[in-house]
Each structure stands twice: as structure tokens, then as C-alpha cells.
């Protein structure tokens, strides 16, 4: 069974990590995705220790889906640089 992993992260305690929750849940509903697991944390992307991201990586299997608000929630690279560094086919 395919799992959808929804990762939400804010960099500081002053930010709300769940700010994109409604948007991601709307996407899940629109695309009729099932077996959704949410990972929410307030950790700087500059830190390697991100417990929820570590939990997601450990749980993810080949063929699963990963939902994030934007690529910078996973990496410190700006989206434009990510596209150059990791081009899509």
C-alpha cells in the first residue's frame, strides 16, 4: 500500500509549522490519496537533526508520495538552485 508522507516544517518557534496543513490536506482530498501520515516540526533547515524528517525517511518506501509546502522545507537550497542541482527528466 502506498503511503503519502506530508512534511511540514517551520524554522523558528515564532512560525507555525502547520500553516500549510490545509493546503496539503486539500491536495490529498482532491487527488484521493489514502494512508496519509503527517510529520510536523519546528527546526531550522540548517540543522541536520530534524526528528520528524528522520522519522519520515525511515518510514518511506519506494513508490510512496512525499508532500511538502515547498522544496525549501526539505533543503536549504532555494527552489531555483534545487532545479539546477537536481534537474527533472
Amino acid at each position: 500500500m502506498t503511503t503519502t508522507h506530508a512534511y511540514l516544517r517551520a524554522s523558528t518557534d515564532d512560525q507555525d509549522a502547520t500553516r500549510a496543513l490545509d493546503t496539503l490536506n486539500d491536495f490529498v482530498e482532491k487527488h484521493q490519496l489514502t494512508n496519509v501520515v503527517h510529520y510536523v516540526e519546528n527546526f531550522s533547515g540548517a540543522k541536520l537533526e530534524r526528528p520528524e524528517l528522520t522519522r519520515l525517511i525511515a518510514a518511506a518506501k519506494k513508490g510512496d508520495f512525499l508532500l511538502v509546502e515547498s522544496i525549501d522545507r526539505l533543503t536549504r537550497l532555494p527552489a531555483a538552485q534545487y532545479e539546477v542541482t537536481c534537474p527533472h527528466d
Side-chain angles (χ1 to χ4, degrees):
M1 171 184 280
T2 300
T3 299
T4 299
H5 304 275
Y7 182 70
L8 299 113
R9 181 184 63 80
S11 297
T12 68
D13 290 333
D14 295 336
Q15 297 175 338
D16 181 10
T18 62
R19 71 190 171 282
L21 187 58
D22 289 340
T23 302
L24 293 183
N25 285 337
D26 288 346
F27 183 91
V28 164
E29 186 176 326
K30 178 180 178 182
H31 295 280
Q32 300 177 339
L33 301 174
T34 58
N35 197 28
V36 179
V37 180
H38 292 89
Y39 305 83
V40 181
E41 63 189 351
N42 278 63
F43 271 88
S44 170
K47 294 183 180 181
L48 293 177
E49 281 189 34
R50 289 188 266 162
E52 288 298 290
L53 181 58
T54 299
R55 189 169 72 92
L56 182 159
I57 292 168
K61 305 288 184 242
K62 184 176 182 176
D64 283 355
F65 298 112
L66 172 61
L67 294 178
V68 292
E69 176 185 8
S70 66
I71 195 65
D72 70 350
R73 298 299 84 198
L74 290 175
T75 177
R76 297 292 292 171
L77 292 177
Q81 188 176 356
Y82 176 80
E83 290 296 325
V84 170
T85 306
C86 306
H88 302 290
D89 293 335

